[in-house]
Amino acid sequence: GESVGLHLPTLSVQEGDNSIINCAYSNSASDYFIWYKQESGKGPQFIIDIRSNMDKRQGQRVTVLLNKTVKHLSLQIAATQPGDSAVYFCAEKGDTGFQKLVFGTGTRLLVSP
Amino acid sequence: DTAVSQTPKYLVTQMGNDKSIKCEQNLGHDTMYWYKQDSKKFLKIMFSYNNKELIINETVPNRFSPKSPDKAHLNLHINSLELGDSAVYFCASSRVSAGSYEQYFGPGTRLTVT
């Protein structure tokens, strides 16, 4: 079956550091991946996405890396700020289901000043 | 100009009651979803509608019944509420464009069953 998991449930960093949040997925047929940020009391918010025909995509202060060989996804946040503190989810669109996203378990990022 | 809205934001009720949660999106999307997020933050899809037609129906007790009166609305009715139904329920919407499957989430409805 499909599953998406995260290696670290909580990541603590200092303001200004770079953060790396990792995600492992099991469905090699997944063709699309997405990262969401969820702040306390709010709904998940889109950060960045990547298709399986790419191995890197950059946004503003964020970079997503995709390694299909080992089925691994990572989100890099440059110069982490206190406002980046949240729970981060990766999700994959598998090869079954219409626009169905399967979410990972989430990683809490704590940024201290 | 809220994109995806849900009502109510909080819902506290007793076991055995029937309750509904409403969702509306003003993004012009054609697909809407209901997710359940448990106390460990695990987010799992429950249902999805595309153009008012049910397209995803995960293993959910039949006490849960979604209804989509039109493309902009997706409601969730829950019968005979149980303690295990306590969770945050999120509505989301999407439209496939240029290969993006981004889903836009509402603010969530925290359901507490006592």
Side-chain angles (χ1 to χ4, degrees), chain A residues 61-99:
Chain A
R61 283 202 306 119
V62 294
T63 301
V64 56
L65 298 178
L66 175 62
N67 185 332
K68 293 182 288 295
T69 303
V70 294
K71 288 184 282 190
H72 184 266
L73 193 67
S74 68
L75 177 70
Q76 300 178 359
I77 305 173
T80 315
Q81 302 167 0
D84 294 327
S85 294
V87 177
Y88 289 80
F89 294 94
C90 66
E92 64 178 321
K93 187 184 83 65
D95 57 350
T96 59
F98 184 80
Q99 297 183 42

PDB file of all heavy atoms in Angstrom, chain A residues 61-99:
ATOM      1  N   ARG A  61      13.318  30.901  -0.287  1.00  0.00           N
ATOM      2  CA  ARG A  61      13.942  30.339   0.921  1.00  0.00           C
ATOM      3  C   ARG A  61      13.714  28.835   1.091  1.00  0.00           C
ATOM      4  O   ARG A  61      14.153  28.241   2.065  1.00  0.00           O
ATOM      5  CB  ARG A  61      13.459  31.044   2.213  1.00  0.00           C
ATOM      6  CG  ARG A  61      14.058  32.381   2.496  1.00  0.00           C
ATOM      7  CD  ARG A  61      13.964  32.760   3.971  1.00  0.00           C
ATOM      8  NE  ARG A  61      12.607  32.699   4.497  1.00  0.00           N
ATOM      9  CZ  ARG A  61      12.239  31.898   5.502  1.00  0.00           C
ATOM     10  NH1 ARG A  61      13.104  31.078   6.080  1.00  0.00           N
ATOM     11  NH2 ARG A  61      10.984  31.916   5.930  1.00  0.00           N
ATOM     12  N   VAL A  62      13.008  28.208   0.208  1.00  0.00           N
ATOM     13  CA  VAL A  62      12.764  26.767   0.324  1.00  0.00           C
ATOM     14  C   VAL A  62      13.229  26.050  -0.929  1.00  0.00           C
ATOM     15  O   VAL A  62      13.156  26.590  -2.034  1.00  0.00           O
ATOM     16  CB  VAL A  62      11.278  26.440   0.592  1.00  0.00           C
ATOM     17  CG1 VAL A  62      10.849  26.955   1.949  1.00  0.00           C
ATOM     18  CG2 VAL A  62      10.396  26.962  -0.505  1.00  0.00           C
ATOM     19  N   THR A  63      13.710  24.833  -0.711  1.00  0.00           N
ATOM     20  CA  THR A  63      14.136  23.964  -1.793  1.00  0.00           C
ATOM     21  C   THR A  63      13.615  22.566  -1.501  1.00  0.00           C
ATOM     22  O   THR A  63      13.739  22.091  -0.354  1.00  0.00           O
ATOM     23  CB  THR A  63      15.670  23.909  -1.907  1.00  0.00           C
ATOM     24  OG1 THR A  63      16.171  25.226  -2.140  1.00  0.00           O
ATOM     25  CG2 THR A  63      16.109  23.001  -3.057  1.00  0.00           C
ATOM     26  N   VAL A  64      13.045  21.922  -2.490  1.00  0.00           N
ATOM     27  CA  VAL A  64      12.628  20.535  -2.331  1.00  0.00           C
ATOM     28  C   VAL A  64      13.538  19.668  -3.204  1.00  0.00           C
ATOM     29  O   VAL A  64      13.823  20.007  -4.350  1.00  0.00           O
ATOM     30  CB  VAL A  64      11.136  20.326  -2.677  1.00  0.00           C
ATOM     31  CG1 VAL A  64      10.807  20.800  -4.070  1.00  0.00           C
ATOM     32  CG2 VAL A  64      10.740  18.869  -2.506  1.00  0.00           C
ATOM     33  N   LEU A  65      14.018  18.597  -2.613  1.00  0.00           N
ATOM     34  CA  LEU A  65      14.864  17.642  -3.313  1.00  0.00           C
ATOM     35  C   LEU A  65      14.147  16.303  -3.360  1.00  0.00           C
ATOM     36  O   LEU A  65      13.572  15.862  -2.364  1.00  0.00           O
ATOM     37  CB  LEU A  65      16.211  17.475  -2.594  1.00  0.00           C
ATOM     38  CG  LEU A  65      17.077  18.723  -2.485  1.00  0.00           C
ATOM     39  CD1 LEU A  65      18.347  18.409  -1.696  1.00  0.00           C
ATOM     40  CD2 LEU A  65      17.441  19.262  -3.855  1.00  0.00           C
ATOM     41  N   LEU A  66      14.196  15.678  -4.516  1.00  0.00           N
ATOM     42  CA  LEU A  66      13.545  14.388  -4.705  1.00  0.00           C
ATOM     43  C   LEU A  66      14.574  13.372  -5.178  1.00  0.00           C
ATOM     44  O   LEU A  66      15.229  13.573  -6.202  1.00  0.00           O
ATOM     45  CB  LEU A  66      12.412  14.503  -5.731  1.00  0.00           C
ATOM     46  CG  LEU A  66      11.706  13.211  -6.127  1.00  0.00           C
ATOM     47  CD1 LEU A  66      11.015  12.576  -4.922  1.00  0.00           C
ATOM     48  CD2 LEU A  66      10.689  13.484  -7.241  1.00  0.00           C
ATOM     49  N   ASN A  67      14.715  12.292  -4.440  1.00  0.00           N
ATOM     50  CA  ASN A  67      15.604  11.205  -4.812  1.00  0.00           C
ATOM     51  C   ASN A  67      14.754   9.958  -5.030  1.00  0.00           C
ATOM     52  O   ASN A  67      14.379   9.267  -4.080  1.00  0.00           O
ATOM     53  CB  ASN A  67      16.644  10.963  -3.715  1.00  0.00           C
ATOM     54  CG  ASN A  67      17.678   9.921  -4.119  1.00  0.00           C
ATOM     55  OD1 ASN A  67      17.408   9.033  -4.923  1.00  0.00           O
ATOM     56  ND2 ASN A  67      18.872  10.040  -3.569  1.00  0.00           N
ATOM     57  N   LYS A  68      14.461   9.687  -6.299  1.00  0.00           N
ATOM     58  CA  LYS A  68      13.561   8.570  -6.611  1.00  0.00           C
ATOM     59  C   LYS A  68      14.233   7.223  -6.387  1.00  0.00           C
ATOM     60  O   LYS A  68      13.564   6.217  -6.175  1.00  0.00           O
ATOM     61  CB  LYS A  68      13.055   8.703  -8.047  1.00  0.00           C
ATOM     62  CG  LYS A  68      12.147   9.922  -8.244  1.00  0.00           C
ATOM     63  CD  LYS A  68      11.624  10.002  -9.660  1.00  0.00           C
ATOM     64  CE  LYS A  68      12.698  10.414 -10.651  1.00  0.00           C
ATOM     65  NZ  LYS A  68      13.176  11.794 -10.401  1.00  0.00           N
ATOM     66  N   THR A  69      15.536   7.212  -6.445  1.00  0.00           N
ATOM     67  CA  THR A  69      16.260   5.940  -6.275  1.00  0.00           C
ATOM     68  C   THR A  69      16.013   5.357  -4.892  1.00  0.00           C
ATOM     69  O   THR A  69      15.799   4.156  -4.736  1.00  0.00           O
ATOM     70  CB  THR A  69      17.765   6.146  -6.485  1.00  0.00           C
ATOM     71  OG1 THR A  69      17.973   6.695  -7.781  1.00  0.00           O
ATOM     72  CG2 THR A  69      18.522   4.829  -6.358  1.00  0.00           C
ATOM     73  N   VAL A  70      16.039   6.232  -3.885  1.00  0.00           N
ATOM     74  CA  VAL A  70      15.828   5.763  -2.515  1.00  0.00           C
ATOM     75  C   VAL A  70      14.471   6.193  -1.985  1.00  0.00           C
ATOM     76  O   VAL A  70      14.197   6.039  -0.786  1.00  0.00           O
ATOM     77  CB  VAL A  70      16.961   6.254  -1.579  1.00  0.00           C
ATOM     78  CG1 VAL A  70      18.280   5.611  -1.977  1.00  0.00           C
ATOM     79  CG2 VAL A  70      17.072   7.765  -1.602  1.00  0.00           C
ATOM     80  N   LYS A  71      13.642   6.743  -2.842  1.00  0.00           N
ATOM     81  CA  LYS A  71      12.297   7.184  -2.480  1.00  0.00           C
ATOM     82  C   LYS A  71      12.332   8.119  -1.280  1.00  0.00           C
ATOM     83  O   LYS A  71      11.723   7.848  -0.227  1.00  0.00           O
ATOM     84  CB  LYS A  71      11.394   5.975  -2.245  1.00  0.00           C
ATOM     85  CG  LYS A  71      11.044   5.247  -3.552  1.00  0.00           C
ATOM     86  CD  LYS A  71      10.073   4.107  -3.352  1.00  0.00           C
ATOM     87  CE  LYS A  71      10.798   2.900  -2.801  1.00  0.00           C
ATOM     88  NZ  LYS A  71       9.969   1.690  -2.789  1.00  0.00           N
ATOM     89  N   HIS A  72      13.038   9.207  -1.455  1.00  0.00           N
ATOM     90  CA  HIS A  72      13.252  10.162  -0.370  1.00  0.00           C
ATOM     91  C   HIS A  72      12.999  11.579  -0.880  1.00  0.00           C
ATOM     92  O   HIS A  72      13.370  11.943  -1.995  1.00  0.00           O
ATOM     93  CB  HIS A  72      14.696  10.028   0.141  1.00  0.00           C
ATOM     94  CG  HIS A  72      14.992  10.887   1.312  1.00  0.00           C
ATOM     95  ND1 HIS A  72      15.540  12.145   1.184  1.00  0.00           N
ATOM     96  CD2 HIS A  72      14.808  10.682   2.640  1.00  0.00           C
ATOM     97  CE1 HIS A  72      15.688  12.669   2.390  1.00  0.00           C
ATOM     98  NE2 HIS A  72      15.261  11.804   3.290  1.00  0.00           N
ATOM     99  N   LEU A  73      12.382  12.339  -0.016  1.00  0.00           N
ATOM    100  CA  LEU A  73      12.016  13.733  -0.316  1.00  0.00           C
ATOM    101  C   LEU A  73      12.518  14.587   0.844  1.00  0.00           C
ATOM    102  O   LEU A  73      12.423  14.160   1.998  1.00  0.00           O
ATOM    103  CB  LEU A  73      10.490  13.806  -0.395  1.00  0.00           C
ATOM    104  CG  LEU A  73       9.768  14.994  -0.964  1.00  0.00           C
ATOM    105  CD1 LEU A  73      10.025  15.127  -2.441  1.00  0.00           C
ATOM    106  CD2 LEU A  73       8.268  14.827  -0.708  1.00  0.00           C
ATOM    107  N   SER A  74      13.040  15.762   0.542  1.00  0.00           N
ATOM    108  CA  SER A  74      13.433  16.643   1.636  1.00  0.00           C
ATOM    109  C   SER A  74      13.030  18.078   1.340  1.00  0.00           C
ATOM    110  O   SER A  74      12.908  18.480   0.180  1.00  0.00           O
ATOM    111  CB  SER A  74      14.942  16.564   1.904  1.00  0.00           C
ATOM    112  OG  SER A  74      15.657  17.126   0.830  1.00  0.00           O
ATOM    113  N   LEU A  75      12.807  18.804   2.412  1.00  0.00           N
ATOM    114  CA  LEU A  75      12.487  20.225   2.330  1.00  0.00           C
ATOM    115  C   LEU A  75      13.577  20.977   3.058  1.00  0.00           C
ATOM    116  O   LEU A  75      13.837  20.714   4.240  1.00  0.00           O
ATOM    117  CB  LEU A  75      11.135  20.514   2.992  1.00  0.00           C
ATOM    118  CG  LEU A  75      10.724  21.989   3.028  1.00  0.00           C
ATOM    119  CD1 LEU A  75      10.373  22.485   1.626  1.00  0.00           C
ATOM    120  CD2 LEU A  75       9.533  22.201   3.978  1.00  0.00           C
ATOM    121  N   GLN A  76      14.237  21.876   2.357  1.00  0.00           N
ATOM    122  CA  GLN A  76      15.278  22.691   2.971  1.00  0.00           C
ATOM    123  C   GLN A  76      14.758  24.109   3.112  1.00  0.00           C
ATOM    124  O   GLN A  76      14.252  24.677   2.151  1.00  0.00           O
ATOM    125  CB  GLN A  76      16.545  22.661   2.117  1.00  0.00           C
ATOM    126  CG  GLN A  76      17.112  21.259   1.939  1.00  0.00           C
ATOM    127  CD  GLN A  76      18.329  21.228   1.046  1.00  0.00           C
ATOM    128  OE1 GLN A  76      18.771  22.250   0.531  1.00  0.00           O
ATOM    129  NE2 GLN A  76      18.906  20.045   0.864  1.00  0.00           N
ATOM    130  N   ILE A  77      14.894  24.649   4.306  1.00  0.00           N
ATOM    131  CA  ILE A  77      14.490  26.021   4.571  1.00  0.00           C
ATOM    132  C   ILE A  77      15.745  26.802   4.922  1.00  0.00           C
ATOM    133  O   ILE A  77      16.456  26.469   5.881  1.00  0.00           O
ATOM    134  CB  ILE A  77      13.474  26.105   5.724  1.00  0.00           C
ATOM    135  CG1 ILE A  77      12.263  25.217   5.451  1.00  0.00           C
ATOM    136  CG2 ILE A  77      13.030  27.558   5.940  1.00  0.00           C
ATOM    137  CD1 ILE A  77      11.287  25.123   6.628  1.00  0.00           C
ATOM    138  N   ALA A  78      16.036  27.823   4.142  1.00  0.00           N
ATOM    139  CA  ALA A  78      17.230  28.633   4.383  1.00  0.00           C
ATOM    140  C   ALA A  78      16.921  29.737   5.391  1.00  0.00           C
ATOM    141  O   ALA A  78      15.812  30.277   5.430  1.00  0.00           O
ATOM    142  CB  ALA A  78      17.707  29.237   3.071  1.00  0.00           C
ATOM    143  N   ALA A  79      17.937  30.038   6.211  1.00  0.00           N
ATOM    144  CA  ALA A  79      17.825  31.144   7.170  1.00  0.00           C
ATOM    145  C   ALA A  79      16.504  31.070   7.928  1.00  0.00           C
ATOM    146  O   ALA A  79      15.678  31.981   7.870  1.00  0.00           O
ATOM    147  CB  ALA A  79      17.964  32.474   6.451  1.00  0.00           C
ATOM    148  N   THR A  80      16.319  29.975   8.641  1.00  0.00           N
ATOM    149  CA  THR A  80      15.055  29.711   9.332  1.00  0.00           C
ATOM    150  C   THR A  80      14.712  30.829  10.305  1.00  0.00           C
ATOM    151  O   THR A  80      15.572  31.343  11.026  1.00  0.00           O
ATOM    152  CB  THR A  80      15.140  28.374  10.083  1.00  0.00           C
ATOM    153  OG1 THR A  80      15.727  27.395   9.227  1.00  0.00           O
ATOM    154  CG2 THR A  80      13.768  27.898  10.480  1.00  0.00           C
ATOM    155  N   GLN A  81      13.432  31.190  10.313  1.00  0.00           N
ATOM    156  CA  GLN A  81      12.936  32.281  11.140  1.00  0.00           C
ATOM    157  C   GLN A  81      11.924  31.745  12.152  1.00  0.00           C
ATOM    158  O   GLN A  81      11.317  30.691  11.930  1.00  0.00           O
ATOM    159  CB  GLN A  81      12.269  33.333  10.247  1.00  0.00           C
ATOM    160  CG  GLN A  81      13.191  33.903   9.189  1.00  0.00           C
ATOM    161  CD  GLN A  81      12.430  34.688   8.125  1.00  0.00           C
ATOM    162  OE1 GLN A  81      11.207  34.813   8.180  1.00  0.00           O
ATOM    163  NE2 GLN A  81      13.162  35.222   7.164  1.00  0.00           N
ATOM    164  N   PRO A  82      11.697  32.452  13.242  1.00  0.00           N
ATOM    165  CA  PRO A  82      10.697  31.996  14.217  1.00  0.00           C
ATOM    166  C   PRO A  82       9.332  31.742  13.591  1.00  0.00           C
ATOM    167  O   PRO A  82       8.607  30.846  14.008  1.00  0.00           O
ATOM    168  CB  PRO A  82      10.658  33.147  15.225  1.00  0.00           C
ATOM    169  CG  PRO A  82      12.034  33.727  15.178  1.00  0.00           C
ATOM    170  CD  PRO A  82      12.454  33.623  13.733  1.00  0.00           C
ATOM    171  N   GLY A  83       8.990  32.528  12.559  1.00  0.00           N
ATOM    172  CA  GLY A  83       7.714  32.328  11.875  1.00  0.00           C
ATOM    173  C   GLY A  83       7.636  31.033  11.095  1.00  0.00           C
ATOM    174  O   GLY A  83       6.555  30.656  10.629  1.00  0.00           O
ATOM    175  N   ASP A  84       8.747  30.347  10.943  1.00  0.00           N
ATOM    176  CA  ASP A  84       8.747  29.049  10.262  1.00  0.00           C
ATOM    177  C   ASP A  84       8.337  27.919  11.209  1.00  0.00           C
ATOM    178  O   ASP A  84       8.130  26.792  10.755  1.00  0.00           O
ATOM    179  CB  ASP A  84      10.141  28.742   9.691  1.00  0.00           C
ATOM    180  CG  ASP A  84      10.551  29.698   8.588  1.00  0.00           C
ATOM    181  OD1 ASP A  84       9.657  30.159   7.845  1.00  0.00           O
ATOM    182  OD2 ASP A  84      11.756  29.997   8.484  1.00  0.00           O
ATOM    183  N   SER A  85       8.240  28.218  12.496  1.00  0.00           N
ATOM    184  CA  SER A  85       7.835  27.193  13.464  1.00  0.00           C
ATOM    185  C   SER A  85       6.429  26.697  13.125  1.00  0.00           C
ATOM    186  O   SER A  85       5.483  27.491  13.037  1.00  0.00           O
ATOM    187  CB  SER A  85       7.855  27.758  14.889  1.00  0.00           C
ATOM    188  OG  SER A  85       9.168  28.075  15.288  1.00  0.00           O
ATOM    189  N   ALA A  86       6.309  25.402  12.904  1.00  0.00           N
ATOM    190  CA  ALA A  86       5.037  24.812  12.479  1.00  0.00           C
ATOM    191  C   ALA A  86       5.243  23.312  12.337  1.00  0.00           C
ATOM    192  O   ALA A  86       6.343  22.801  12.558  1.00  0.00           O
ATOM    193  CB  ALA A  86       4.596  25.398  11.137  1.00  0.00           C
ATOM    194  N   VAL A  87       4.189  22.620  11.958  1.00  0.00           N
ATOM    195  CA  VAL A  87       4.307  21.214  11.578  1.00  0.00           C
ATOM    196  C   VAL A  87       4.348  21.155  10.057  1.00  0.00           C
ATOM    197  O   VAL A  87       3.544  21.807   9.380  1.00  0.00           O
ATOM    198  CB  VAL A  87       3.123  20.378  12.109  1.00  0.00           C
ATOM    199  CG1 VAL A  87       3.235  18.930  11.632  1.00  0.00           C
ATOM    200  CG2 VAL A  87       3.084  20.435  13.630  1.00  0.00           C
ATOM    201  N   TYR A  88       5.295  20.410   9.532  1.00  0.00           N
ATOM    202  CA  TYR A  88       5.472  20.287   8.097  1.00  0.00           C
ATOM    203  C   TYR A  88       5.090  18.879   7.646  1.00  0.00           C
ATOM    204  O   TYR A  88       5.508  17.885   8.248  1.00  0.00           O
ATOM    205  CB  TYR A  88       6.919  20.602   7.708  1.00  0.00           C
ATOM    206  CG  TYR A  88       7.234  22.068   7.866  1.00  0.00           C
ATOM    207  CD1 TYR A  88       7.522  22.605   9.116  1.00  0.00           C
ATOM    208  CD2 TYR A  88       7.202  22.925   6.768  1.00  0.00           C
ATOM    209  CE1 TYR A  88       7.781  23.953   9.279  1.00  0.00           C
ATOM    210  CE2 TYR A  88       7.469  24.280   6.918  1.00  0.00           C
ATOM    211  CZ  TYR A  88       7.759  24.785   8.177  1.00  0.00           C
ATOM    212  OH  TYR A  88       8.008  26.124   8.333  1.00  0.00           O
ATOM    213  N   PHE A  89       4.307  18.824   6.577  1.00  0.00           N
ATOM    214  CA  PHE A  89       3.859  17.549   6.021  1.00  0.00           C
ATOM    215  C   PHE A  89       4.344  17.408   4.586  1.00  0.00           C
ATOM    216  O   PHE A  89       4.257  18.350   3.806  1.00  0.00           O
ATOM    217  CB  PHE A  89       2.331  17.464   5.975  1.00  0.00           C
ATOM    218  CG  PHE A  89       1.661  17.453   7.320  1.00  0.00           C
ATOM    219  CD1 PHE A  89       1.204  18.623   7.895  1.00  0.00           C
ATOM    220  CD2 PHE A  89       1.468  16.254   7.993  1.00  0.00           C
ATOM    221  CE1 PHE A  89       0.579  18.614   9.130  1.00  0.00           C
ATOM    222  CE2 PHE A  89       0.842  16.234   9.228  1.00  0.00           C
ATOM    223  CZ  PHE A  89       0.403  17.414   9.792  1.00  0.00           C
ATOM    224  N   CYS A  90       4.796  16.208   4.267  1.00  0.00           N
ATOM    225  CA  CYS A  90       4.970  15.885   2.861  1.00  0.00           C
ATOM    226  C   CYS A  90       3.762  15.053   2.442  1.00  0.00           C
ATOM    227  O   CYS A  90       3.110  14.417   3.280  1.00  0.00           O
ATOM    228  CB  CYS A  90       6.262  15.122   2.609  1.00  0.00           C
ATOM    229  SG  CYS A  90       6.326  13.483   3.349  1.00  0.00           S
ATOM    230  N   ALA A  91       3.460  15.074   1.179  1.00  0.00           N
ATOM    231  CA  ALA A  91       2.367  14.261   0.654  1.00  0.00           C
ATOM    232  C   ALA A  91       2.724  13.841  -0.756  1.00  0.00           C
ATOM    233  O   ALA A  91       3.472  14.517  -1.457  1.00  0.00           O
ATOM    234  CB  ALA A  91       1.050  15.040   0.663  1.00  0.00           C
ATOM    235  N   GLU A  92       2.190  12.707  -1.156  1.00  0.00           N
ATOM    236  CA  GLU A  92       2.430  12.206  -2.496  1.00  0.00           C
ATOM    237  C   GLU A  92       1.105  11.943  -3.191  1.00  0.00           C
ATOM    238  O   GLU A  92       0.100  11.617  -2.538  1.00  0.00           O
ATOM    239  CB  GLU A  92       3.231  10.907  -2.458  1.00  0.00           C
ATOM    240  CG  GLU A  92       2.510   9.765  -1.774  1.00  0.00           C
ATOM    241  CD  GLU A  92       3.322   8.475  -1.786  1.00  0.00           C
ATOM    242  OE1 GLU A  92       3.969   8.174  -2.788  1.00  0.00           O
ATOM    243  OE2 GLU A  92       3.263   7.768  -0.776  1.00  0.00           O
ATOM    244  N   LYS A  93       1.120  12.112  -4.481  1.00  0.00           N
ATOM    245  CA  LYS A  93      -0.020  11.693  -5.287  1.00  0.00           C
ATOM    246  C   LYS A  93       0.378  10.368  -5.914  1.00  0.00           C
ATOM    247  O   LYS A  93       1.281  10.304  -6.732  1.00  0.00           O
ATOM    248  CB  LYS A  93      -0.375  12.703  -6.370  1.00  0.00           C
ATOM    249  CG  LYS A  93      -1.676  12.344  -7.099  1.00  0.00           C
ATOM    250  CD  LYS A  93      -1.986  13.284  -8.238  1.00  0.00           C
ATOM    251  CE  LYS A  93      -1.255  12.915  -9.506  1.00  0.00           C
ATOM    252  NZ  LYS A  93      -1.652  11.626 -10.069  1.00  0.00           N
ATOM    253  N   GLY A  94      -0.294   9.328  -5.480  1.00  0.00           N
ATOM    254  CA  GLY A  94       0.012   8.002  -5.971  1.00  0.00           C
ATOM    255  C   GLY A  94      -0.604   7.748  -7.326  1.00  0.00           C
ATOM    256  O   GLY A  94      -1.144   8.651  -7.978  1.00  0.00           O
ATOM    257  N   ASP A  95      -0.544   6.505  -7.736  1.00  0.00           N
ATOM    258  CA  ASP A  95      -1.066   6.156  -9.055  1.00  0.00           C
ATOM    259  C   ASP A  95      -2.496   5.637  -9.001  1.00  0.00           C
ATOM    260  O   ASP A  95      -3.006   5.117  -9.967  1.00  0.00           O
ATOM    261  CB  ASP A  95      -0.159   5.125  -9.721  1.00  0.00           C
ATOM    262  CG  ASP A  95      -0.003   3.869  -8.878  1.00  0.00           C
ATOM    263  OD1 ASP A  95      -0.439   3.866  -7.710  1.00  0.00           O
ATOM    264  OD2 ASP A  95       0.548   2.878  -9.385  1.00  0.00           O
ATOM    265  N   THR A  96      -3.114   5.752  -7.843  1.00  0.00           N
ATOM    266  CA  THR A  96      -4.513   5.354  -7.727  1.00  0.00           C
ATOM    267  C   THR A  96      -5.300   6.534  -7.191  1.00  0.00           C
ATOM    268  O   THR A  96      -4.784   7.315  -6.399  1.00  0.00           O
ATOM    269  CB  THR A  96      -4.700   4.173  -6.767  1.00  0.00           C
ATOM    270  OG1 THR A  96      -4.208   4.562  -5.479  1.00  0.00           O
ATOM    271  CG2 THR A  96      -3.954   2.954  -7.261  1.00  0.00           C
ATOM    272  N   GLY A  97      -6.521   6.677  -7.600  1.00  0.00           N
ATOM    273  CA  GLY A  97      -7.341   7.751  -7.038  1.00  0.00           C
ATOM    274  C   GLY A  97      -7.201   9.049  -7.800  1.00  0.00           C
ATOM    275  O   GLY A  97      -6.147   9.381  -8.299  1.00  0.00           O
ATOM    276  N   PHE A  98      -8.247   9.771  -7.884  1.00  0.00           N
ATOM    277  CA  PHE A  98      -8.296  11.028  -8.604  1.00  0.00           C
ATOM    278  C   PHE A  98      -7.813  12.144  -7.695  1.00  0.00           C
ATOM    279  O   PHE A  98      -8.462  12.466  -6.721  1.00  0.00           O
ATOM    280  CB  PHE A  98      -9.733  11.288  -9.057  1.00  0.00           C
ATOM    281  CG  PHE A  98      -9.882  12.518  -9.897  1.00  0.00           C
ATOM    282  CD1 PHE A  98      -9.561  12.485 -11.237  1.00  0.00           C
ATOM    283  CD2 PHE A  98     -10.350  13.682  -9.344  1.00  0.00           C
ATOM    284  CE1 PHE A  98      -9.710  13.627 -12.019  1.00  0.00           C
ATOM    285  CE2 PHE A  98     -10.505  14.831 -10.118  1.00  0.00           C
ATOM    286  CZ  PHE A  98     -10.180  14.801 -11.459  1.00  0.00           C
ATOM    287  N   GLN A  99      -6.647  12.727  -8.000  1.00  0.00           N
ATOM    288  CA  GLN A  99      -6.081  13.824  -7.222  1.00  0.00           C
ATOM    289  C   GLN A  99      -5.949  13.480  -5.735  1.00  0.00           C
ATOM    290  O   GLN A  99      -5.983  14.368  -4.899  1.00  0.00           O
ATOM    291  CB  GLN A  99      -6.940  15.092  -7.356  1.00  0.00           C
ATOM    292  CG  GLN A  99      -7.006  15.628  -8.774  1.00  0.00           C
ATOM    293  CD  GLN A  99      -7.793  16.926  -8.864  1.00  0.00           C
ATOM    294  OE1 GLN A  99      -7.650  17.806  -8.012  1.00  0.00           O
ATOM    295  NE2 GLN A  99      -8.623  17.056  -9.881  1.00  0.00           N
TER     296      GLN A  99
END
